[in-house]
Short mmCIF file of all heavy atoms in Angstrom, two decimals:
data_model
loop_
_atom_site.label_atom_id
_atom_site.label_comp_id
_atom_site.label_asym_id
_atom_site.label_seq_id
_atom_site.Cartn_x
_atom_site.Cartn_y
_atom_site.Cartn_z
N MET B 586 27.67 -13.84 0.65
CA MET B 586 27.56 -12.51 1.20
C MET B 586 26.29 -11.88 0.63
O MET B 586 26.07 -11.89 -0.56
CB MET B 586 28.80 -11.70 0.79
CG MET B 586 28.85 -10.34 1.44
SD MET B 586 30.51 -9.64 1.39
CE MET B 586 30.54 -8.92 -0.22
N THR B 587 25.45 -11.32 1.51
CA THR B 587 24.20 -10.72 1.07
C THR B 587 24.31 -9.21 1.18
O THR B 587 24.94 -8.67 2.08
CB THR B 587 23.01 -11.20 1.91
OG1 THR B 587 23.23 -10.83 3.28
CG2 THR B 587 22.83 -12.71 1.82
N ASP B 588 23.67 -8.54 0.23
CA ASP B 588 23.63 -7.08 0.27
C ASP B 588 22.55 -6.64 1.24
O ASP B 588 21.49 -7.26 1.34
CB ASP B 588 23.32 -6.52 -1.13
CG ASP B 588 24.46 -6.75 -2.09
OD1 ASP B 588 25.62 -6.78 -1.63
OD2 ASP B 588 24.20 -6.90 -3.30
N ALA B 589 22.82 -5.56 1.95
CA ALA B 589 21.81 -5.00 2.85
C ALA B 589 20.70 -4.40 2.02
O ALA B 589 20.92 -3.89 0.92
CB ALA B 589 22.46 -3.94 3.74
N GLN B 590 19.49 -4.47 2.55
CA GLN B 590 18.37 -3.84 1.86
C GLN B 590 18.55 -2.33 1.92
O GLN B 590 18.92 -1.78 2.96
CB GLN B 590 17.05 -4.23 2.50
CG GLN B 590 16.63 -5.65 2.24
CD GLN B 590 15.26 -5.93 2.82
OE1 GLN B 590 14.96 -5.51 3.93
NE2 GLN B 590 14.45 -6.63 2.08
N LYS B 591 18.28 -1.70 0.79
CA LYS B 591 18.47 -0.26 0.71
C LYS B 591 17.18 0.40 0.25
O LYS B 591 16.36 -0.22 -0.40
CB LYS B 591 19.60 0.08 -0.25
CG LYS B 591 20.95 -0.46 0.20
CD LYS B 591 22.07 0.00 -0.69
CE LYS B 591 23.37 -0.65 -0.29
NZ LYS B 591 24.03 -0.03 0.83
N ILE B 592 17.06 1.66 0.60
CA ILE B 592 15.92 2.46 0.18
C ILE B 592 16.44 3.82 -0.24
O ILE B 592 17.40 4.33 0.35
CB ILE B 592 14.86 2.57 1.29
CG1 ILE B 592 13.62 3.29 0.76
CG2 ILE B 592 15.40 3.25 2.52
CD1 ILE B 592 12.41 3.13 1.62
N THR B 593 15.82 4.39 -1.27
CA THR B 593 16.23 5.71 -1.73
C THR B 593 15.15 6.71 -1.34
O THR B 593 13.98 6.53 -1.66
CB THR B 593 16.44 5.73 -3.25
OG1 THR B 593 17.44 4.75 -3.58
CG2 THR B 593 16.89 7.10 -3.74
N ILE B 594 15.55 7.74 -0.62
CA ILE B 594 14.65 8.80 -0.18
C ILE B 594 15.27 10.13 -0.57
O ILE B 594 16.41 10.42 -0.20
CB ILE B 594 14.43 8.75 1.35
CG1 ILE B 594 13.84 7.38 1.75
CG2 ILE B 594 13.53 9.89 1.81
CD1 ILE B 594 13.80 7.14 3.24
N ASP B 595 14.51 10.91 -1.33
CA ASP B 595 14.99 12.22 -1.79
C ASP B 595 16.35 12.12 -2.48
O ASP B 595 17.24 12.95 -2.27
CB ASP B 595 15.06 13.22 -0.63
CG ASP B 595 13.68 13.57 -0.08
OD1 ASP B 595 12.68 13.48 -0.84
OD2 ASP B 595 13.59 13.91 1.12
N GLY B 596 16.53 11.06 -3.26
CA GLY B 596 17.74 10.89 -4.03
C GLY B 596 18.93 10.36 -3.25
O GLY B 596 20.02 10.22 -3.80
N LYS B 597 18.73 10.04 -1.97
CA LYS B 597 19.82 9.51 -1.15
C LYS B 597 19.50 8.07 -0.77
O LYS B 597 18.37 7.74 -0.45
CB LYS B 597 20.00 10.35 0.12
CG LYS B 597 20.41 11.77 -0.17
CD LYS B 597 20.49 12.58 1.11
CE LYS B 597 20.78 14.04 0.78
NZ LYS B 597 20.70 14.89 1.97
N GLU B 598 20.51 7.23 -0.81
CA GLU B 598 20.33 5.81 -0.52
C GLU B 598 20.67 5.53 0.94
O GLU B 598 21.69 6.01 1.46
CB GLU B 598 21.23 4.99 -1.44
CG GLU B 598 20.90 3.52 -1.45
CD GLU B 598 21.68 2.78 -2.51
OE1 GLU B 598 22.84 2.41 -2.22
OE2 GLU B 598 21.13 2.58 -3.61
N TYR B 599 19.81 4.74 1.59
CA TYR B 599 20.01 4.39 3.00
C TYR B 599 19.90 2.88 3.16
O TYR B 599 19.08 2.24 2.50
CB TYR B 599 18.93 5.03 3.88
CG TYR B 599 18.90 6.54 3.83
CD1 TYR B 599 18.14 7.21 2.89
CD2 TYR B 599 19.65 7.29 4.73
CE1 TYR B 599 18.11 8.59 2.85
CE2 TYR B 599 19.63 8.67 4.70
CZ TYR B 599 18.86 9.31 3.75
OH TYR B 599 18.84 10.69 3.71
N ASP B 600 20.69 2.30 4.05
CA ASP B 600 20.52 0.91 4.46
C ASP B 600 19.35 0.86 5.42
O ASP B 600 19.29 1.64 6.39
CB ASP B 600 21.77 0.39 5.18
CG ASP B 600 22.95 0.17 4.26
OD1 ASP B 600 22.71 -0.12 3.07
OD2 ASP B 600 24.09 0.29 4.73
N LEU B 601 18.39 -0.02 5.15
CA LEU B 601 17.24 -0.11 6.04
C LEU B 601 17.66 -0.42 7.48
O LEU B 601 17.09 0.10 8.43
CB LEU B 601 16.26 -1.18 5.54
CG LEU B 601 15.36 -0.77 4.38
CD1 LEU B 601 14.49 -1.94 3.95
CD2 LEU B 601 14.50 0.41 4.74
N ALA B 602 18.66 -1.26 7.63
CA ALA B 602 19.10 -1.64 8.96
C ALA B 602 19.67 -0.46 9.74
O ALA B 602 19.66 -0.47 10.97
CB ALA B 602 20.15 -2.75 8.88
N SER B 603 20.11 0.58 9.04
CA SER B 603 20.71 1.72 9.72
C SER B 603 19.68 2.75 10.17
O SER B 603 20.02 3.69 10.90
CB SER B 603 21.74 2.40 8.81
OG SER B 603 21.08 3.09 7.76
N LEU B 604 18.41 2.58 9.75
CA LEU B 604 17.39 3.56 10.12
C LEU B 604 16.98 3.38 11.58
O LEU B 604 16.95 2.26 12.09
CB LEU B 604 16.16 3.40 9.22
CG LEU B 604 16.36 3.64 7.73
CD1 LEU B 604 15.03 3.43 6.99
CD2 LEU B 604 16.90 5.02 7.46
N THR B 605 16.63 4.47 12.20
CA THR B 605 16.12 4.41 13.57
C THR B 605 14.74 3.78 13.56
O THR B 605 14.08 3.69 12.52
CB THR B 605 16.02 5.81 14.19
OG1 THR B 605 15.04 6.56 13.45
CG2 THR B 605 17.36 6.54 14.17
N ASP B 606 14.29 3.35 14.73
CA ASP B 606 12.94 2.79 14.82
C ASP B 606 11.91 3.83 14.39
O ASP B 606 10.92 3.49 13.73
CB ASP B 606 12.64 2.32 16.24
CG ASP B 606 13.38 1.04 16.59
OD1 ASP B 606 13.85 0.34 15.66
OD2 ASP B 606 13.49 0.72 17.79
N GLU B 607 12.11 5.08 14.75
CA GLU B 607 11.20 6.16 14.36
C GLU B 607 11.16 6.29 12.83
O GLU B 607 10.08 6.41 12.24
CB GLU B 607 11.62 7.48 14.98
CG GLU B 607 10.81 8.67 14.52
CD GLU B 607 9.34 8.63 14.91
OE1 GLU B 607 8.96 7.84 15.79
OE2 GLU B 607 8.55 9.40 14.32
N ALA B 608 12.30 6.25 12.19
CA ALA B 608 12.35 6.35 10.73
C ALA B 608 11.67 5.14 10.09
O ALA B 608 10.93 5.28 9.11
CB ALA B 608 13.79 6.47 10.24
N LYS B 609 11.89 3.95 10.64
CA LYS B 609 11.23 2.74 10.12
C LYS B 609 9.71 2.85 10.27
O LYS B 609 8.97 2.46 9.36
CB LYS B 609 11.75 1.50 10.83
CG LYS B 609 13.19 1.15 10.44
CD LYS B 609 13.68 -0.04 11.26
CE LYS B 609 15.14 -0.32 10.97
NZ LYS B 609 15.69 -1.40 11.82
N ASN B 610 9.27 3.37 11.41
CA ASN B 610 7.82 3.54 11.63
C ASN B 610 7.24 4.53 10.63
O ASN B 610 6.15 4.30 10.08
CB ASN B 610 7.54 4.01 13.05
CG ASN B 610 7.68 2.90 14.07
OD1 ASN B 610 7.54 1.72 13.74
ND2 ASN B 610 7.97 3.27 15.31
N GLN B 611 7.94 5.63 10.37
CA GLN B 611 7.44 6.62 9.41
C GLN B 611 7.43 6.05 8.00
O GLN B 611 6.51 6.32 7.22
CB GLN B 611 8.27 7.91 9.48
CG GLN B 611 8.16 8.65 10.80
CD GLN B 611 6.72 8.96 11.20
OE1 GLN B 611 5.85 9.14 10.37
NE2 GLN B 611 6.48 9.00 12.50
N LEU B 612 8.43 5.25 7.67
CA LEU B 612 8.47 4.58 6.37
C LEU B 612 7.28 3.64 6.22
O LEU B 612 6.61 3.61 5.18
CB LEU B 612 9.79 3.83 6.20
CG LEU B 612 10.00 3.10 4.89
CD1 LEU B 612 9.92 4.07 3.70
CD2 LEU B 612 11.34 2.38 4.90
N MET B 613 6.98 2.89 7.28
CA MET B 613 5.83 2.00 7.25
C MET B 613 4.54 2.82 7.09
O MET B 613 3.65 2.44 6.32
CB MET B 613 5.75 1.18 8.54
CG MET B 613 4.60 0.19 8.56
SD MET B 613 4.48 -0.78 10.08
CE MET B 613 4.12 0.52 11.26
N ASN B 614 4.43 3.95 7.78
CA ASN B 614 3.25 4.81 7.65
C ASN B 614 3.08 5.31 6.22
O ASN B 614 1.96 5.36 5.69
CB ASN B 614 3.35 6.00 8.61
CG ASN B 614 3.20 5.59 10.06
OD1 ASN B 614 2.64 4.55 10.37
ND2 ASN B 614 3.71 6.42 10.96
N ILE B 615 4.17 5.67 5.58
CA ILE B 615 4.12 6.12 4.19
C ILE B 615 3.64 4.98 3.29
O ILE B 615 2.80 5.19 2.41
CB ILE B 615 5.49 6.65 3.72
CG1 ILE B 615 5.79 7.99 4.41
CG2 ILE B 615 5.55 6.79 2.20
CD1 ILE B 615 7.20 8.48 4.19
N ARG B 616 4.15 3.79 3.50
CA ARG B 616 3.74 2.65 2.68
C ARG B 616 2.25 2.35 2.86
O ARG B 616 1.55 2.07 1.88
CB ARG B 616 4.59 1.42 3.02
CG ARG B 616 6.01 1.55 2.50
CD ARG B 616 6.87 0.38 2.87
NE ARG B 616 8.18 0.49 2.24
CZ ARG B 616 9.22 -0.24 2.58
NH1 ARG B 616 9.13 -1.14 3.55
NH2 ARG B 616 10.38 -0.08 1.97
N VAL B 617 1.76 2.40 4.10
CA VAL B 617 0.34 2.16 4.35
C VAL B 617 -0.49 3.25 3.67
O VAL B 617 -1.50 2.95 3.02
CB VAL B 617 0.05 2.12 5.87
CG1 VAL B 617 -1.45 2.15 6.14
CG2 VAL B 617 0.68 0.87 6.49
N ALA B 618 -0.06 4.51 3.80
CA ALA B 618 -0.79 5.61 3.16
C ALA B 618 -0.80 5.43 1.65
O ALA B 618 -1.84 5.64 1.01
CB ALA B 618 -0.16 6.95 3.55
N ASP B 619 0.32 5.05 1.06
CA ASP B 619 0.39 4.83 -0.39
C ASP B 619 -0.58 3.72 -0.82
O ASP B 619 -1.23 3.83 -1.86
CB ASP B 619 1.81 4.47 -0.83
CG ASP B 619 2.74 5.68 -0.86
OD1 ASP B 619 2.25 6.83 -0.83
OD2 ASP B 619 3.97 5.46 -0.92
N GLN B 620 -0.67 2.65 -0.02
CA GLN B 620 -1.59 1.56 -0.35
C GLN B 620 -3.04 2.04 -0.28
O GLN B 620 -3.85 1.70 -1.15
CB GLN B 620 -1.39 0.38 0.61
CG GLN B 620 -0.09 -0.36 0.39
CD GLN B 620 0.19 -1.39 1.47
OE1 GLN B 620 -0.46 -1.43 2.51
NE2 GLN B 620 1.19 -2.24 1.22
N LYS B 621 -3.35 2.85 0.72
CA LYS B 621 -4.72 3.36 0.86
C LYS B 621 -5.05 4.34 -0.26
O LYS B 621 -6.18 4.36 -0.76
CB LYS B 621 -4.91 4.00 2.23
CG LYS B 621 -4.96 2.97 3.35
CD LYS B 621 -5.28 3.59 4.68
CE LYS B 621 -5.32 2.53 5.75
NZ LYS B 621 -6.68 2.07 6.03
N ILE B 622 -4.08 5.14 -0.67
CA ILE B 622 -4.29 6.06 -1.80
C ILE B 622 -4.58 5.27 -3.07
O ILE B 622 -5.50 5.58 -3.82
CB ILE B 622 -3.08 6.99 -1.98
CG1 ILE B 622 -3.03 8.02 -0.85
CG2 ILE B 622 -3.11 7.68 -3.34
CD1 ILE B 622 -1.72 8.80 -0.77
N ALA B 623 -3.79 4.22 -3.31
CA ALA B 623 -4.00 3.38 -4.50
C ALA B 623 -5.39 2.74 -4.47
O ALA B 623 -6.09 2.70 -5.49
CB ALA B 623 -2.91 2.31 -4.60
N SER B 624 -5.81 2.26 -3.30
CA SER B 624 -7.13 1.66 -3.17
C SER B 624 -8.22 2.69 -3.41
O SER B 624 -9.22 2.41 -4.10
CB SER B 624 -7.28 1.05 -1.78
OG SER B 624 -8.57 0.50 -1.61
N ALA B 625 -8.05 3.90 -2.87
CA ALA B 625 -9.04 4.96 -3.07
C ALA B 625 -9.12 5.36 -4.54
O ALA B 625 -10.22 5.64 -5.06
CB ALA B 625 -8.70 6.17 -2.20
N GLN B 626 -7.99 5.37 -5.23
CA GLN B 626 -7.99 5.69 -6.65
C GLN B 626 -8.75 4.63 -7.45
O GLN B 626 -9.47 4.96 -8.39
CB GLN B 626 -6.56 5.85 -7.17
CG GLN B 626 -5.90 7.12 -6.68
CD GLN B 626 -4.42 7.20 -7.01
OE1 GLN B 626 -3.73 6.19 -7.10
NE2 GLN B 626 -3.91 8.42 -7.18
N GLN B 627 -8.58 3.37 -7.07
CA GLN B 627 -9.33 2.29 -7.73
C GLN B 627 -10.82 2.43 -7.46
O GLN B 627 -11.65 2.26 -8.37
CB GLN B 627 -8.83 0.92 -7.26
CG GLN B 627 -7.45 0.59 -7.76
CD GLN B 627 -6.90 -0.69 -7.14
OE1 GLN B 627 -7.38 -1.17 -6.12
NE2 GLN B 627 -5.86 -1.24 -7.77
N ASP B 628 -11.18 2.75 -6.22
CA ASP B 628 -12.59 2.96 -5.87
C ASP B 628 -13.16 4.12 -6.67
O ASP B 628 -14.29 4.05 -7.17
CB ASP B 628 -12.76 3.23 -4.38
CG ASP B 628 -12.50 2.00 -3.52
OD1 ASP B 628 -12.47 0.87 -4.06
OD2 ASP B 628 -12.33 2.18 -2.29
N LEU B 629 -12.41 5.19 -6.80
CA LEU B 629 -12.86 6.35 -7.56
C LEU B 629 -13.10 5.98 -9.02
O LEU B 629 -14.10 6.39 -9.61
CB LEU B 629 -11.85 7.49 -7.45
CG LEU B 629 -12.20 8.78 -8.20
CD1 LEU B 629 -13.53 9.35 -7.74
CD2 LEU B 629 -11.08 9.80 -8.03
N ALA B 630 -12.22 5.20 -9.60
CA ALA B 630 -12.40 4.78 -10.99
C ALA B 630 -13.68 3.96 -11.15
O ALA B 630 -14.43 4.16 -12.11
CB ALA B 630 -11.19 3.97 -11.46
N VAL B 631 -13.97 3.09 -10.20
CA VAL B 631 -15.20 2.29 -10.24
C VAL B 631 -16.41 3.22 -10.14
O VAL B 631 -17.38 3.08 -10.89
CB VAL B 631 -15.21 1.24 -9.12
CG1 VAL B 631 -16.59 0.61 -8.96
CG2 VAL B 631 -14.16 0.16 -9.39
N LEU B 632 -16.35 4.16 -9.21
CA LEU B 632 -17.48 5.07 -9.02
C LEU B 632 -17.69 5.98 -10.24
O LEU B 632 -18.84 6.26 -10.62
CB LEU B 632 -17.27 5.91 -7.77
CG LEU B 632 -17.33 5.12 -6.45
CD1 LEU B 632 -16.86 5.97 -5.28
CD2 LEU B 632 -18.73 4.60 -6.22
N GLN B 633 -16.61 6.43 -10.86
CA GLN B 633 -16.75 7.26 -12.06
C GLN B 633 -17.37 6.46 -13.21
O GLN B 633 -18.21 6.98 -13.95
CB GLN B 633 -15.39 7.83 -12.48
CG GLN B 633 -14.92 8.93 -11.55
CD GLN B 633 -13.49 9.38 -11.84
OE1 GLN B 633 -12.65 8.59 -12.24
NE2 GLN B 633 -13.24 10.66 -11.63
N THR B 634 -16.96 5.20 -13.33
CA THR B 634 -17.54 4.34 -14.36
C THR B 634 -19.03 4.14 -14.09
O THR B 634 -19.85 4.22 -15.02
CB THR B 634 -16.81 2.98 -14.40
OG1 THR B 634 -15.43 3.22 -14.69
CG2 THR B 634 -17.41 2.05 -15.43
N ALA B 635 -19.40 3.89 -12.85
CA ALA B 635 -20.80 3.71 -12.50
C ALA B 635 -21.59 4.99 -12.77
O ALA B 635 -22.69 4.95 -13.32
CB ALA B 635 -20.94 3.32 -11.03
N ARG B 636 -21.03 6.14 -12.41
CA ARG B 636 -21.71 7.40 -12.64
C ARG B 636 -21.97 7.62 -14.13
O ARG B 636 -23.04 8.05 -14.54
CB ARG B 636 -20.92 8.57 -12.08
CG ARG B 636 -21.71 9.88 -12.16
CD ARG B 636 -20.80 11.10 -12.03
NE ARG B 636 -21.59 12.31 -12.02
CZ ARG B 636 -22.17 12.86 -13.09
NH1 ARG B 636 -22.07 12.27 -14.27
NH2 ARG B 636 -22.87 13.97 -13.00
N ASN B 637 -20.97 7.32 -14.94
CA ASN B 637 -21.13 7.46 -16.39
C ASN B 637 -22.25 6.55 -16.91
O ASN B 637 -23.04 6.96 -17.77
CB ASN B 637 -19.82 7.18 -17.11
CG ASN B 637 -18.78 8.26 -16.86
OD1 ASN B 637 -19.12 9.38 -16.48
ND2 ASN B 637 -17.52 7.91 -17.06
N ALA B 638 -22.31 5.34 -16.39
CA ALA B 638 -23.37 4.41 -16.81
C ALA B 638 -24.73 4.94 -16.39
O ALA B 638 -25.70 4.86 -17.16
CB ALA B 638 -23.12 3.02 -16.22
N TYR B 639 -24.83 5.47 -15.18
CA TYR B 639 -26.10 6.04 -14.72
C TYR B 639 -26.50 7.24 -15.58
O TYR B 639 -27.67 7.41 -15.91
CB TYR B 639 -26.01 6.48 -13.25
CG TYR B 639 -25.79 5.36 -12.27
CD1 TYR B 639 -24.99 5.55 -11.15
CD2 TYR B 639 -26.38 4.10 -12.44
CE1 TYR B 639 -24.79 4.53 -10.23
CE2 TYR B 639 -26.17 3.08 -11.53
CZ TYR B 639 -25.38 3.30 -10.42
OH TYR B 639 -25.18 2.30 -9.52
N ALA B 640 -25.54 8.06 -15.94
CA ALA B 640 -25.83 9.23 -16.77
C ALA B 640 -26.34 8.80 -18.14
O ALA B 640 -27.29 9.39 -18.68
CB ALA B 640 -24.60 10.12 -16.90
N ARG B 641 -25.74 7.75 -18.72
CA ARG B 641 -26.21 7.23 -20.01
C ARG B 641 -27.63 6.67 -19.88
O ARG B 641 -28.49 6.91 -20.72
CB ARG B 641 -25.26 6.16 -20.55
CG ARG B 641 -24.01 6.72 -21.20
CD ARG B 641 -23.25 5.64 -21.98
NE ARG B 641 -22.90 4.49 -21.16
CZ ARG B 641 -21.80 4.41 -20.40
NH1 ARG B 641 -20.94 5.41 -20.35
NH2 ARG B 641 -21.56 3.32 -19.69
N ALA B 642 -27.89 5.94 -18.80
CA ALA B 642 -29.21 5.37 -18.57
C ALA B 642 -30.25 6.48 -18.39
O ALA B 642 -31.37 6.39 -18.90
CB ALA B 642 -29.19 4.44 -17.36
N LEU B 643 -29.87 7.54 -17.68
CA LEU B 643 -30.77 8.67 -17.51
C LEU B 643 -31.08 9.32 -18.85
O LEU B 643 -32.24 9.60 -19.15
CB LEU B 643 -30.17 9.70 -16.55
CG LEU B 643 -30.93 11.03 -16.42
CD1 LEU B 643 -32.34 10.80 -15.91
CD2 LEU B 643 -30.15 12.00 -15.54
N ALA B 644 -30.06 9.53 -19.65
CA ALA B 644 -30.26 10.15 -20.96
C ALA B 644 -31.22 9.33 -21.82
O ALA B 644 -32.07 9.88 -22.53
CB ALA B 644 -28.92 10.33 -21.67
N GLU B 645 -31.11 8.01 -21.72
CA GLU B 645 -32.00 7.14 -22.48
C GLU B 645 -33.41 7.13 -21.91
O GLU B 645 -34.39 6.93 -22.64
CB GLU B 645 -31.43 5.72 -22.53
CG GLU B 645 -30.17 5.61 -23.35
CD GLU B 645 -29.52 4.23 -23.26
OE1 GLU B 645 -30.14 3.31 -22.66
OE2 GLU B 645 -28.39 4.09 -23.77
N ALA B 646 -33.56 7.38 -20.61
CA ALA B 646 -34.87 7.34 -19.96
C ALA B 646 -35.63 8.65 -20.10
O ALA B 646 -36.84 8.68 -19.87
CB ALA B 646 -34.69 6.99 -18.49
N LEU B 647 -34.95 9.72 -20.44
CA LEU B 647 -35.62 11.01 -20.57
C LEU B 647 -36.51 11.02 -21.81
O LEU B 647 -36.17 10.41 -22.84
CB LEU B 647 -34.59 12.14 -20.66
CG LEU B 647 -33.78 12.41 -19.40
CD1 LEU B 647 -32.69 13.43 -19.69
CD2 LEU B 647 -34.67 12.88 -18.25
N PRO B 648 -37.63 11.75 -21.74
CA PRO B 648 -38.47 11.84 -22.93
C PRO B 648 -37.73 12.60 -24.03
O PRO B 648 -36.91 13.47 -23.77
CB PRO B 648 -39.70 12.62 -22.44
CG PRO B 648 -39.31 13.24 -21.16
CD PRO B 648 -38.15 12.48 -20.61
N LYS B 649 -38.04 12.20 -25.26
CA LYS B 649 -37.40 12.85 -26.42
C LYS B 649 -38.04 14.23 -26.59
O LYS B 649 -39.25 14.39 -26.51
CB LYS B 649 -37.60 12.04 -27.68
CG LYS B 649 -37.08 10.61 -27.57
CD LYS B 649 -35.60 10.58 -27.32
CE LYS B 649 -35.09 9.14 -27.21
NZ LYS B 649 -34.05 8.95 -26.27
N VAL B 650 -37.19 15.22 -26.81
CA VAL B 650 -37.65 16.59 -27.01
C VAL B 650 -37.26 17.02 -28.43
O VAL B 650 -36.09 16.89 -28.81
CB VAL B 650 -37.03 17.55 -25.97
CG1 VAL B 650 -37.45 18.97 -26.23
CG2 VAL B 650 -37.38 17.12 -24.56
N ASN B 651 -38.21 17.52 -29.18
CA ASN B 651 -37.92 18.03 -30.53
C ASN B 651 -37.28 19.39 -30.41
O ASN B 651 -37.79 20.26 -29.71
CB ASN B 651 -39.20 18.13 -31.37
CG ASN B 651 -39.77 16.77 -31.68
OD1 ASN B 651 -39.04 15.78 -31.74
ND2 ASN B 651 -41.07 16.70 -31.87
N GLN B 652 -36.20 19.60 -31.09
CA GLN B 652 -35.51 20.90 -31.01
C GLN B 652 -35.75 21.72 -32.21
O GLN B 652 -35.73 21.50 -33.30
CB GLN B 652 -34.01 20.67 -30.81
CG GLN B 652 -33.73 20.04 -29.48
CD GLN B 652 -32.22 19.87 -29.27
OE1 GLN B 652 -31.40 20.22 -30.10
NE2 GLN B 652 -31.88 19.30 -28.14
#
């Protein structure tokens, strides 16, 4: 005997098989959006790291000023 796949939404548990096609489509849309958000966050981390490296390189390339 196999257990039905379940999902918890807003603290309530649902059998995936009992969801309407519209609900399944919206769930899929949420999953796709979550994946894209995670990818964008990874891209942002790469870009922030690159920006920091460029800022360090700029600081080293600037002429020294006596204060």
Side-chain angles (χ1 to χ4, degrees):
M586 186 161 84
T587 61
D588 291 330
Q590 288 184 318
K591 297 186 185 279
I592 186 164
T593 302
I594 301 170
D595 294 333
K597 297 177 185 173
E598 193 172 84
Y599 300 89
D600 288 331
L601 282 178
S603 71
L604 298 180
T605 64
D606 287 342
E607 174 64 16
K609 289 176 185 176
N610 285 335
Q611 295 306 330
L612 181 59
M613 182 180 65
N614 290 338
I615 289 171
R616 288 178 175 166
V617 169
D619 284 344
Q620 289 171 349
K621 289 186 180 262
I622 288 168
S624 178
Q626 288 171 330
Q627 290 172 343
D628 290 345
L629 180 58
V631 168
L632 292 170
Q633 286 173 326
T634 300
R636 187 198 184 285
N637 290 339
Y639 296 144
R641 281 192 304 275
L643 173 60
E645 292 173 8
L647 291 173
K649 303 298 180 216
V650 177
N651 292 333
Q652 294 182 0

